[in-house]
């Protein structure tokens, strides 16, 4: 299967899942996760007109996109992986949305960099919906206070929430939970669902689905 064919198949599944849940398909944005994928596959996706990509590491994203991005003025890049504070400046310079705001120190650093670079990127807060000790993300109980902190102390443009469900749980439970948290906190955007489970995330309100392997093939 080519990237073009995969993209078409995914689009059809998005459409079907959206229609079944009485949503407009265009409210579900496909973030093509290009991490670790060969350049020719990214090129193929760009050639179909796809313009929204996700990367999980700043350095890798820089080496791939720094020269490519200026060629596509409508290209949007989302950071979907953990961010170290010493990379905040590079991240703010390169990305168009940070999906993984997950602690106060990072929120402060991002805020400083946005001011310094005169950029105001929309952000999502990563929520640790499974309360897993090793996983990044804000604990659900701390979310309201963290949203206040991001907005009032850091001036961040918080648009919504993102999660990566625990591998052993039914993902739909976490998607429903994230949806509830967004509703309670009056947030519009929900980044949830990957190759294996995006069709279940759509009825539960996903506005961004992050798809790598199903689009580009298995990562080497
Ligand atoms: C790699 C990655 C994805 C994509 O995963 P696939 O299973 O290849 O679709 C989505 N979200 C995050 C945060 C990732 O790191």
């Amino acid at each position: 299967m080519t990237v073009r064919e995969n993209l078409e198949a995914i689009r059809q599944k998005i459409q079907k899942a959206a229609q079944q849940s009485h949503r407009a398909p265009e409210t579900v944005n496909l973030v093509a996760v290009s991490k670790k994928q060969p350049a020719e596959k990214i090129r193929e996706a760009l050639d179909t007109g796809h313009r929204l990509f996700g990367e999980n590491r700043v350095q890798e994203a820089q080496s791939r996109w720094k020269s490519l991005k200026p060629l596509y003025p409508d290209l949007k890049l989302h950071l979907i992986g953990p961010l170290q504070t010493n990379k905040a400046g590079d991240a703010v310079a390169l990305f168009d949305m940070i999906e993984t705001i997950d602690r106060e120190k990072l929120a402060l650093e991002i805020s400083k960099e946005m001011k310094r670079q005169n950029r105001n990127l929309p952000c999502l807060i990563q929520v640790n919906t499974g309360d897993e000790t090793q996983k990044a993300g804000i604990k659900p109980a701390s979310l309201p206070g963290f949203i206040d902190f991001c907005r009032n102390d850091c001036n961040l443009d918080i648009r919504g929430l993102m999660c990566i469900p625990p591998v052993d749980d039914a993902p739909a439970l976490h998607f429903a939970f994230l949806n509830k948290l967004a509703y309670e906190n009056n947030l519009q955007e929900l980044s949830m669902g990957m190759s294996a489970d995006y069709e279940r995330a759509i009825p539960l309100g996903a506005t961004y689905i992050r798809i790598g392997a199903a689009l580009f093939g298995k990562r080497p």
Side-chain angles (χ1 to χ4, degrees):
M1 291 280 265
T2 64
V3 170
R4 187 180 290 275
E5 287 166 339
N6 288 339
L7 194 54
E8 186 48 39
I10 293 167
R11 287 246 162 78
Q12 277 175 18
K13 286 182 181 171
I14 293 173
Q15 190 147 19
K16 192 163 159 226
Q19 274 163 357
Q20 283 173 347
S21 43
H22 308 287
R23 296 188 54 196
E26 61 273 15
T27 62
V28 183
N29 298 285
L30 170 58
V31 180
V33 178
S34 44
K35 67 179 183 200
K36 297 198 178 81
Q37 297 286 355
E40 65 269 17
K41 295 209 169 168
I42 312 309
R43 173 71 60 189
E44 228 187 306
L46 286 166
D47 286 347
T48 70
H50 194 79
R51 291 292 181 268
L52 176 56
F53 292 84
E55 290 279 353
N56 74 333
R57 298 176 64 111
V58 176
Q59 238 159 352
E60 188 191 338
Q62 275 180 320
S63 67
R64 185 197 296 292
W65 291 106
K66 230 178 179 171
S67 55
L68 210 49
K69 202 168 181 239
L71 307 179
Y72 299 92
D74 50 348
L75 187 95
K76 299 282 183 216
L77 272 187
H78 286 200
L79 179 64
I80 61 170
L83 179 57
Q84 295 169 286
T85 46
N86 63 356
K87 302 264 172 63
D90 290 338
V92 167
L94 179 67
F95 288 97
D96 301 286
M97 183 187 268
I98 312 280
E99 295 200 11
T100 48
I101 306 289
D102 63 357
R103 58 200 190 276
E104 290 195 353
K105 192 169 172 234
L106 179 64
L108 283 168
E109 202 57 37
I110 294 269
S111 147
K112 246 200 308 196
E113 282 298 335
M114 288 198 195
K115 226 176 274 154
R116 202 173 63 80
Q117 300 183 32
N118 196 20
R119 276 169 70 75
N120 187 20
L121 312 185
C123 296
L124 305 181
I125 293 172
Q126 183 173 357
V127 182
N128 187 352
T129 53
D131 259 326
E132 295 173 283
T133 45
Q134 79 288 5
K135 193 171 270 178
I138 291 292
K139 282 184 189 300
S142 313
L143 184 62
F146 187 66
I147 294 170
D148 276 351
F149 176 80
C150 288
R151 287 185 166 154
N152 302 327
D153 298 76
C154 306
N155 237 340
L156 292 185
D157 179 10
I158 300 295
R159 299 281 178 88
L161 306 175
M162 176 270 204
C163 76
I164 306 170
V167 281
D168 299 328
D169 276 10
L173 294 175
H174 294 269
F175 299 156
F177 185 37
L178 201 69
N179 183 322
K180 175 172 174 279
L181 291 172
Y183 178 79
E184 287 169 355
N185 290 283
N186 202 17
L187 294 167
Q188 314 305 318
E189 308 293 345
L190 282 170
S191 174
M192 56 190 197
M194 320 203 300
S195 289
D197 52 24
Y198 67 94
E199 287 165 276
R200 264 163 292 163
I202 292 167
L204 294 165
T207 59
Y208 293 103
I209 52 176
R210 311 177 306 264
I211 300 187
L215 177 56
F216 296 114
K218 258 211 165 88
R219 282 177 288 279

